[in-house]
Amino acid sequence: MSVPRQRFLQDFLFAGLVRVTSVLIGLLILGMFIQMVLIVRPLFEQPSAVARGSSAGLATHQTESGLQVLDDTGVQLAVTVSTPITLPKRNLQLSLASGPEGISIISESSSATVGTSSRRRLAMPGDLDALSLVTTDEAEQQLLLIFNSGAYRLIKIYADGRLQSGVSGSLPPHRSVLSVPGRQSWILVTEDTLEQVHLRFAQGRGELVPLRTLAIGQGLRHVSQVSPSRRLLVTTRSGSTQLWQLGRPEPATLDMLGSDSTSANWLSPVRFRVHYESVPARDYELRDGVTGVSAARLFLPVQHEGYQEPGYYWQPVAASDGFEAKLSLVPLLIGTLKAALVGLVFAIPVAVGAAVFVGYYLPSRRREQIKPFIELIASFPTVVVAGLVGLWLAPRLTDSLPEILGAVLIIPLAMMAVFGILHRLPRASGRIGSVKIRPLVLLPALVLVLSAGAVFGHWAEQWIFQGSLLMWLPTHGIPVQQLNSLLVGFVLGFAIFPVIFSLAEEAIYEVPAIGATGSIALGATPWRSFQDVVLPVAAPGIVSAVMLGFGRGVGETMIFLLLSGNAPGSDWSLFSGLRSLSATLAIELPEAAVGGQHFQILFLGALLLFILTFVINTCAQLLRQRVIGKGRVRR
Amino acid sequence: MDHREALIAASNNRANLNYVAPGIEVQGLSLTYPDEPNALIDINLSIPGGEVTAVIGPSGCGKSTLLRCFNRMNDMLEGCQYSGSITLGDLNILDPMTDVTLLRRRVGMVFQQPNPFPMSIYDNVAYGPRIGGLRRRRDLDEVVENALRLAALWDEVKGQLGKNATVLSLGQQQRLVIARAIAVQPEVLLMDEPASSLDPISTLRIEELIYELKQSYTIVIVTHNMQQAARVSDRTAFLNQGQVVEYDATDKIFTNPSQRATEDYITGRYG
Amino acid sequence: MTNPDMFDYPDLNSARIRDEKINTLMTAATGAATLLAVVSVVAFLGFIVLLGGAWLAEEQALSATVGQQHSSNFELLLFGGRELASSGGVLPAIVGTVVLTLLMAVIVAPLGIVVALYLTEYSGGGWPTQLLRIGVQNLAAIPSIIYGVFGLAFFVYVIGGRIDELFYASNLPTPTFGTPGLLWASLTLALLTLPTVIVATEEGLLRIPSSLREGSRALGATRVETIFRVVLPAAAPSILTGIILAVARAAGEVAPLMLVGVVRYAPTLPVSIEAPFLQLEQKFMHLGFYVYDLTMHAPGSEGRVGIVAAASLLLVSVIVSLNIVALLLRVRLRRTYVQSGV
């Protein structure tokens, strides 16, 4: 009896194996989604801090409270400057001194190679003691002086050390100034508000303009310096502590710090020390990975430091220390959608037209020969398509754009004419509805037509665009790049049209022929039968095919990487480059620090892409199922 | 005289005057497909107008193919070649220059499977007149009602003309398809096993309908049901392997066939 | 009067003529679209073959200038030269691609077959099955780059990181498995091609008449015996088709690999004739990435088109032949079942 038992056990174990594996695969699929959500979640959480021990002996440091003046590295700057400011980028040293005229600025250029040095001096009115900030901008081309009274002055620094007094203006009076990393904006500390001002250049002239006001709400007691990740801690008169992330309109109130703090200061980008009135100072650390990026910062226009006006910018990695990260996902979404839509415009006419012809007009035997052939393109690696187009076609395309446009535009017209003639011919020999394909007749015709189109395009360029389309477009306000949306869309269309064709053809072919036959037997033309009887049934299937094609286009990566230029822009122009979500993931994810803000935002991008394709796919599937359901009723 | 008057005149003709639909003359008809070189071989038939002619024979004998020659539906198959001639009245059906669209208005067809279009009952019946250019709602109403009455479906569907035709029962669908075919006032009605997918009661109603219609239409019916052929037809043609074995009055075929093969088939010895 | 005079009316004729015109136009337009589609496939294939073939046939196009000794461009492509971006030539990339896809096939085949078996043979068709089916369907529509993202975050950082902590703690902080590599790339591709295998296998399983299963069960065979002796052998061609299609798809994927382990240049191959034969944690080169890299970064545009086309020709011919084999298998399969009347 042991044999049956063994067999039974075998059966049981295999069934278990199958079930468990399937469940695991199911969980893995679910896990893909959940994992992304988990990684992305900290982006939107309110920051909070965890205590890291109290430093009892340091209670005396309470004397730190009070407002301070800092330079851009956070080190306190003596107001009466005697130590020179070094400008490493310009090979210069600046020092300030009180002189008879007011303030004199002395620049000293030291050329290490020649070993000589030259001194220049600029005098300006003002009181050295009333200065609240002396700094240069990020490029070290402007020296900025801000006075307590709110007056400021920009001084242009030339390469040879020459100084020239530039724009001056006035800001609100304040007690002190905080530098924001990146030396493009500063925070003026007044009695009870913080005013962020930024250095903006318009037509080569810089000026200092208000950027935003950090509304503290309660009275201001103490402000920390700005951390490298652009956060500052504000202690209010009521003793509570606010954490401000520059760029976010609202502060996070750190309730866990208690309500009798007197000051808070950064020890490291995530650690800080809080001093209290009654208890010893304590150290805290911000919770890991929690960055607190608001949705507004990712999807709405943001006014960035040094920029003319609010806009959408994607520049997540600092070009230099303290550079403000620009995290708008809008350019990536626009780039992705723009190219996918252009791709659809190219793909739909060919794909759906061919689907109707192959699925409806062509006899079954011909269909079985042609369909797999067209579907072969779907299996081409897109990297190959994009690579060859990028290396070979793109340069030629820009050289002879009008000729090619002419040829492309004339193709449908001419082919319709050719087919019209062919369609007339077989009718005379007693056939309707079936068209013979005669490649040997068509190919020379095609060549002729293409040449005619090219000549036509060339003429059109001469006449309409005054000799050169590529010169004409930019002069009419449309900048042209070699790797542009039109090119990406064209190649994307080539990559997605077999997908649309295959599914749409299936939808048309699956409609029982008997309906169209009945209509033809009533004297309707084949097209009328198609339009009245086949199309209403097949339409959802065709729409679903187009949607799936769109989904494919949105998620395509290699074509975007190689042909889009990868420059994030938020315009809808067809002649400019773009950057897609998928290409951004491929380029930036391998270099992003695991668990950092950039990493999380990239995962948010991946999640968006995932959800976008998931929604498109689900809608398409539902539509298809409606088709199948209809087919069943008919049978 | 406009289209509407023409349609009404045509139906009045049929109802009141001694109108007789034209017959079909088949002479030396042969038909080949690439796959089947002898689909039909030298068929000669004289189908009288205003009568019901049944075509019987074992499956694959070419009876449906023959029927589809009468409205040139075989044209839709690739590589199909005709020889010989078929005339309907003064029209040469197989002439390459014959306009098949017009031909198909004169020769209506009903298929084995009811194939209502995916639209309302009304639109199904109005389909033929509409593609013929009849647009006025009142005229269409009249044409639709007449056709449905003629097809004995009016009383069953008059309250639900706007409903999708696919909700009807199979028997009703088949009568709807007949109504759709006669709405364009054809002269000939081809029926390809019209009752083979229906239950006995629906079959009976279709047969009654054929009997009603035969005064105004020349009807050619293909059937594999011997009793049906005997019940509804005036003349019967027996086809085997693409050839006409015997063609005679139905009574004669079923009681006293002149060919041995016919007798074998009718008595059920093969087929 | 034989004809009731209804065909002579102008409105009828004008409607008919308009319909005929539209029909001609639409036939022409759709036919033109089909022709365009076919021509574009021919043109693209021809383009690769001509460009790549011409370059391969050229003698010493690049190497003569630097004095490297290669008898033909074909050898140059395989073994490389200083002129090319990746000094190793394309051979290591071919080896990398082959090892990667084979490893992927070994992983995806059993998983795909088991899930298909569950869906057709074991599940009761309740909501978990429906959910799994929807999941698999959607898996097929997810962009490949998302698989790369998932592979990086889950396979590399979560699983790889854990493996390092447990088994390679002495090497930390230098990661062993906690960094992109061959194993993770093949797992990622396996997940990517899973729906292909599942769908093809399921199709094959559903085609087998239930009488076959019932016959086997009636003879006293258990379910697992029926599956292994009757069902799987009968479905083998379908399963094979699925695996071939999966391999063809995987061989052309580059985007996810960029996140989970492909590199421009790997100093050693991931396979060797000595134990342990297969270096699962190593980074590897890949033909598709080679094409990408040459297009994107290689210096000097002269000759680049030729070598990119030649490498593309290599990749495309493998993928196209795999697809044709799968297509022929499928056609034969359909014929067999049509003949046996199933």
Side-chain angles (χ1 to χ4, degrees):
Chain A
M1 287 310 286
S2 73
V3 174
R5 189 189 284 171
Q6 197 189 333
R7 287 173 57 208
F8 173 76
L9 198 67
Q10 209 181 23
D11 195 34
F12 181 78
L13 286 179
F14 187 71
L17 179 79
V18 167
R19 292 214 161 89
V20 168
T21 315
S22 300
V23 167
L24 282 181
I25 293 287
L27 287 180
L28 198 65
I29 298 171
L30 202 65
M32 281 180 79
F33 180 74
I34 293 174
Q35 194 210 12
M36 280 188 210
V37 173
L38 285 182
I39 291 180
V40 166
R41 206 182 52 177
L43 270 181
F44 298 102
E45 276 176 8
Q46 281 290 327
S48 63
V50 186
R52 290 289 180 209
S54 60
S55 38
L58 294 171
T60 47
H61 278 253
Q62 239 177 344
T63 49
E64 267 181 39
S65 69
L67 297 165
Q68 354 167 352
V69 180
L70 301 160
D71 77 352
D72 57 281
T73 47
V75 178
Q76 190 154 1
L77 196 70
V79 175
T80 44
V81 184
S82 52
T83 41
I85 309 170
T86 336
L87 310 183
K89 287 181 191 161
R90 310 296 298 273
N91 248 337
L92 285 175
Q93 271 195 341
L94 296 178
S95 39
L96 277 70
S98 284
E101 307 96 331
I103 301 169
S104 35
I105 308 161
I106 300 130
S107 80
E108 214 171 334
S109 83
S110 53
S111 171
T113 47
V114 188
T116 57
S117 70
S118 66
R119 265 171 185 244
R120 311 227 176 209
R121 187 170 157 278
L122 178 78
M124 53 175 281
D127 181 5
L128 207 54
D129 292 328
L131 267 177
S132 56
L133 180 85
V134 179
T135 186
T136 62
D137 70 329
E138 206 266 329
E140 295 176 354
Q141 289 177 342
Q142 303 275 341
L143 179 69
L144 171 65
L145 305 179
I146 303 180
F147 296 92
N148 285 339
S149 61
Y152 75 87
R153 183 177 288 273
L154 282 166
I155 294 156
K156 197 164 166 50
I157 310 165
Y158 289 94
D160 58 358
R162 197 155 49 81
L163 301 170
Q164 189 191 32
S165 194
V167 178
S168 62
S170 69
L171 298 167
H174 52 272
R175 287 162 61 188
S176 65
V177 180
L178 297 176
S179 280
V180 176
R183 283 185 282 176
Q184 266 186 328
S185 79
W186 294 270
I187 294 173
L188 309 182
V189 183
T190 67
E191 286 303 325
D192 45 15
T193 60
L194 300 175
E195 298 281 345
Q196 193 179 2
V197 295
H198 66 140
L199 185 59
R200 198 172 72 178
F201 287 91
Q203 286 105 35
R205 257 178 48 140
E207 61 179 329
L208 213 52
V209 284
L211 180 65
R212 56 175 84 90
T213 303
L214 312 188
I216 305 303
Q218 299 132 320
L220 191 65
R221 184 166 193 175
H222 175 266
V223 187
S224 75
Q225 73 262 35
V226 184
S227 81
S229 43
R230 311 176 91 73
R231 293 188 179 113
L232 69 165
L233 293 160
V234 176
T235 314
T236 62
R237 290 242 169 79
S238 61
S240 65
T241 311
Q242 294 177 349
L243 176 69
W244 283 87
Q245 168 81 54
L246 289 182
R248 261 186 92 118
E250 297 290 318
T253 305
L254 301 172
D255 291 328
M256 67 291 293
L257 304 187
S259 58
D260 65 338
S261 56
T262 53
S263 70
N265 280 300
W266 294 107
L267 301 172
S268 80
V270 289
R271 266 180 107 101
F272 57 94
R273 176 165 300 163
V274 182
H275 297 275
Y276 296 100
E277 271 172 27
S278 47
V279 279
R282 227 180 263 159
D283 288 359
Y284 292 92
E285 194 171 310
L286 285 178
R287 228 175 70 206
D288 245 3
V290 176
T291 44
V293 171
S294 63
R297 204 165 159 212
L298 298 171
F299 299 105
L300 293 178
V302 175
Q303 171 69 61
H304 289 292
E305 294 161 14
Y307 281 61
Q308 285 299 315
E309 48 195 32
Y312 306 105
Y313 301 97
W314 172 258
Q315 205 172 355
V317 193
S320 58
D321 273 351
F323 199 76
E324 187 188 16
K326 300 170 184 71
L327 303 171
S328 178
L329 288 172
V330 174
L332 308 182
L333 286 171
I334 287 182
T336 306
L337 295 179
K338 180 165 72 165
L341 287 175
V342 175
L344 276 191
V345 169
F346 279 110
I348 287 177
V350 179
V352 176
V356 171
F357 191 75
V358 173
Y360 180 72
Y361 280 103
L362 267 193
S364 281
R365 204 179 328 161
R366 287 295 158 99
R367 167 184 185 261
E368 274 162 31
Q369 293 163 349
I370 287 188
K371 198 181 177 212
F373 189 73
I374 297 180
E375 283 170 345
L376 207 57
I377 322 178
S379 68
F380 284 3
T382 48
V383 64
V384 167
V385 180
L388 289 178
V389 169
L391 277 182
W392 192 87
L393 192 63
R396 282 158 182 79
L397 213 57
T398 33
D399 282 351
S400 46
L401 186 64
E403 282 85 355
I404 288 168
L405 275 182
V408 168
L409 286 179
I410 215 163
I411 284 177
L413 294 174
M415 285 224 223
M416 273 158 72
V418 170
F419 258 84
I421 295 162
L422 272 181
H423 188 62
R424 286 276 162 211
L425 291 179
R427 245 182 72 73
S429 62
R431 285 170 207 293
I432 188 165
S434 79
V435 177
K436 288 195 167 173
I437 295 181
R438 293 175 182 150
L440 289 183
V441 183
L442 282 176
L443 279 181
L446 191 66
V447 171
L448 255 171
V449 162
L450 288 182
S451 337
V455 171
F456 167 76
H458 188 72
W459 283 349
E461 185 181 32
Q462 300 295 329
W463 287 104
I464 307 171
F465 302 113
Q466 293 130 27
S468 170
L469 181 61
L470 289 180
M471 304 288 271
W472 184 85
L473 281 174
T475 54
H476 288 75
I478 307 166
V480 180
Q481 282 154 314
Q482 188 187 333
L483 297 177
N484 55 47
S485 316
L486 213 53
L487 179 74
V488 186
F490 176 71
V491 180
L492 213 51
F494 182 74
I496 64 177
F497 101 82
V499 179
I500 302 178
F501 164 77
S502 183
L503 295 167
E505 198 273 350
E506 206 75 25
I508 292 167
Y509 188 75
E510 272 169 8
V511 178
I514 189 166
T517 319
S519 165
I520 286 177
L522 280 173
T525 60
W527 177 260
R528 178 157 281 286
S529 311
F530 176 78
Q531 193 185 316
D532 292 346
V533 182
V534 179
L535 195 60
V537 184
I542 297 173
V543 173
S544 132
V546 170
M547 286 169 71
L548 285 172
F550 183 69
R552 179 66 74 87
V554 163
E556 172 53 47
T557 309
M558 298 317 288
I559 292 176
F560 280 114
L561 268 179
L562 287 171
L563 299 177
S564 70
N566 293 322
S570 55
D571 60 286
W572 288 91
S573 161
L574 292 182
F575 295 96
S576 63
L578 54 90
R579 183 182 189 118
S580 75
L581 267 176
S582 54
T584 306
L585 291 175
I587 296 169
E588 292 178 11
L589 202 51
E591 284 158 15
V594 181
Q597 189 188 45
H598 186 204
F599 187 81
Q600 290 167 350
I601 288 179
L602 286 176
F603 264 80
L604 179 66
L607 190 65
L608 281 180
L609 197 56
F610 183 86
I611 292 173
L612 195 65
T613 46
F614 188 89
V615 168
I616 292 172
N617 183 49
T618 308
C619 293
Q621 295 290 354
L622 287 177
L623 265 176
R624 274 183 89 74
Q625 258 143 36
R626 245 193 75 200
V627 184
I628 297 164
K630 259 195 179 171
R632 269 194 204 126
V633 172
R634 283 164 60 81
R635 253 168 239 139
Chain B
M1 199 152 67
D2 64 7
H3 191 98
R4 170 178 163 270
E5 287 170 45
L7 280 170
I8 292 163
S11 54
N12 285 341
N13 271 348
R14 292 181 187 196
N16 306 328
L17 309 176
N18 288 327
Y19 164 79
V20 179
I24 303 173
E25 292 294 327
V26 184
Q27 279 167 353
L29 172 70
S30 294
L31 189 143
T32 61
Y33 293 126
D35 292 345
E36 208 184 335
N38 295 321
L40 293 175
I41 308 159
D42 193 29
I43 307 272
N44 290 292
L45 286 175
S46 175
I47 296 167
E51 285 190 10
V52 178
T53 303
V55 183
I56 59 170
S59 32
C61 70
K63 49 190 196 295
S64 286
T65 309
L66 175 64
L67 197 70
R68 284 161 167 264
C69 287
F70 297 153
N71 65 348
R72 297 261 303 266
M73 287 300 273
N74 285 326
D75 285 16
M76 286 161 66
L77 301 170
E78 201 193 13
C80 158
Q81 304 267 329
Y82 308 98
S83 65
S85 79
I86 306 174
T87 49
L88 169 68
D90 52 359
L91 179 75
N92 184 354
I93 292 179
L94 294 186
D95 185 340
M97 296 317 286
T98 295
D99 191 324
V100 287
T101 347
L102 287 188
L103 169 70
R104 286 171 188 161
R105 273 148 207 258
R106 293 178 64 179
V107 183
M109 188 164 188
V110 175
F111 297 83
Q112 189 171 349
Q113 281 241 311
N115 58 347
F117 303 143
M119 43 180 99
S120 72
I121 294 171
Y122 183 95
D123 289 339
N124 259 281
V125 182
Y127 187 82
R130 267 190 184 140
I131 59 175
L134 192 64
R135 294 271 167 231
R136 279 197 8 225
R137 184 75 188 185
R138 258 190 302 143
D139 303 343
L140 284 172
D141 285 349
E142 198 175 333
V143 170
V144 168
E145 183 175 340
N146 282 342
L148 285 171
R149 276 189 197 285
L150 217 54
L153 194 61
W154 176 253
D155 293 333
E156 289 164 54
V157 300
K158 63 183 172 193
Q160 43 181 344
L161 288 175
K163 271 197 186 167
N164 197 307
T166 45
V167 301
L168 296 175
S169 73
L170 275 184
Q172 287 174 321
Q173 287 188 8
Q174 195 65 312
R175 275 180 285 144
L176 177 69
V177 170
I178 294 174
R180 190 175 74 188
I182 57 186
V184 291
Q185 297 293 349
E187 295 152 53
V188 180
L189 211 50
L190 307 173
M191 297 187 165
D192 191 352
E193 306 195 17
S196 68
S197 58
L198 305 182
D199 58 278
I201 294 172
S202 304
T203 305
L204 192 67
R205 303 203 63 169
I206 298 283
E207 287 175 7
E208 281 169 0
L209 184 56
I210 293 172
Y211 189 79
E212 295 277 317
L213 291 174
K214 79 170 178 182
Q215 284 134 24
S216 338
Y217 302 90
T218 302
I219 296 175
V220 185
I221 176 170
V222 161
T223 180
H224 62 268
N225 181 337
M226 238 55 66
Q227 286 75 26
Q228 190 173 58
R231 281 195 300 265
V232 301
S233 70
D234 301 306
R235 296 178 74 79
T236 299
F238 172 55
L239 245 69
N240 195 12
Q241 295 184 343
Q243 286 172 302
V244 177
V245 178
E246 192 169 351
Y247 176 51
D248 216 327
T250 303
D251 290 346
K252 174 135 189 320
I253 293 261
F254 279 91
T255 52
N256 184 20
S258 57
Q259 301 285 325
R260 180 63 199 266
T262 317
E263 192 179 344
D264 284 354
Y265 180 69
I266 288 166
T267 50
R269 248 164 262 169
Y270 70 90
Chain C
M1 178 173 111
T2 51
N3 185 343
D5 279 355
M6 60 166 293
F7 300 111
D8 302 335
Y9 292 96
D11 57 343
L12 187 147
N13 271 332
S14 68
R16 188 177 63 83
I17 289 165
R18 202 195 57 225
D19 264 20
E20 285 287 340
K21 276 184 182 159
I22 294 174
N23 183 49
T24 306
L25 190 74
M26 293 319 289
T27 317
T30 56
T34 312
L35 192 70
L36 197 63
V38 172
V39 164
S40 67
V41 184
V42 175
F44 192 75
L45 274 177
F47 178 65
I48 295 180
V49 171
L50 285 182
L51 226 56
W55 185 81
L56 286 177
E58 256 175 55
E59 292 284 320
Q60 302 276 329
L62 293 168
S63 45
T65 54
V66 233
Q68 290 230 346
Q69 290 309 306
H70 286 300
S71 60
S72 70
N73 274 347
F74 189 62
E75 262 177 57
L76 176 70
L77 177 69
L78 285 188
F79 306 110
R82 231 180 300 152
E83 314 85 335
L84 302 183
S86 324
S87 50
V90 84
L91 196 61
I94 294 175
V95 174
T97 312
V98 170
V99 172
L100 175 72
T101 41
L102 285 185
L103 202 59
M104 182 278 310
V106 167
I107 298 168
V108 77
L111 285 181
I113 293 169
V114 160
V115 175
L117 277 177
Y118 173 75
L119 287 174
T120 52
E121 311 282 324
Y122 282 94
S123 80
W127 65 267
T129 318
Q130 290 305 318
L131 215 62
L132 184 62
R133 209 177 282 273
I134 292 171
V136 169
Q137 261 175 14
N138 274 301
L139 211 55
I142 294 173
S144 59
I145 186 77
I146 299 291
Y147 286 94
V149 171
F150 175 72
L152 182 71
F154 185 67
F155 292 140
V156 176
Y157 290 140
V158 175
I159 297 185
R162 188 55 47 83
I163 289 176
D164 275 1
E165 275 172 30
L166 292 177
F167 303 106
Y168 297 92
S170 55
N171 288 351
L172 286 174
T174 311
T176 311
F177 276 101
T179 177
L182 182 61
L183 177 65
W184 307 132
S186 45
L187 269 172
T188 305
L189 284 189
L191 197 59
L192 177 94
T193 51
L194 193 61
T196 316
V197 178
I198 293 177
V199 168
T201 309
E202 218 189 328
E203 210 171 273
L205 292 176
L206 288 175
R207 224 178 248 163
I208 300 167
S210 53
S211 58
L212 224 61
R213 299 184 182 92
E214 282 156 14
S216 166
R217 295 299 293 277
L219 288 171
T222 59
R223 185 138 67 168
V224 64
E225 283 162 349
T226 307
I227 287 174
F228 276 98
R229 306 250 164 107
V230 179
V231 175
L232 284 184
S238 301
I239 298 173
L240 195 62
T241 310
I243 295 173
I244 291 174
L245 286 177
V247 167
R249 167 107 200 259
E253 275 302 343
V254 182
L257 300 183
M258 293 171 71
L259 299 182
V260 290
V262 79
V263 283
R264 290 176 73 179
Y265 177 66
T268 51
L269 293 177
V271 277
S272 62
I273 45 166
E274 290 158 28
F277 306 112
L278 199 57
Q279 296 285 334
L280 285 178
E281 81 288 352
Q282 249 192 31
K283 294 192 171 51
F284 55 93
M285 291 169 70
H286 186 273
L287 204 49
F289 187 75
Y290 187 86
V291 170
Y292 163 77
D293 188 48
L294 275 179
T295 312
M296 199 83 162
H297 302 122
S301 65
E302 278 312 305
R304 248 204 305 179
V305 181
I307 193 163
V308 166
S312 303
L313 181 61
L314 223 58
L315 190 59
V316 166
S317 50
V318 170
I319 288 169
V320 168
S321 1
L322 281 173
N323 273 289
I324 289 173
V325 169
L327 183 75
L328 293 180
L329 254 175
R330 201 173 260 184
V331 169
R332 238 193 65 193
L333 207 65
R334 206 176 294 154
R335 286 222 183 104
T336 324
Y337 278 100
V338 168
Q339 272 162 15
S340 63
V342 176

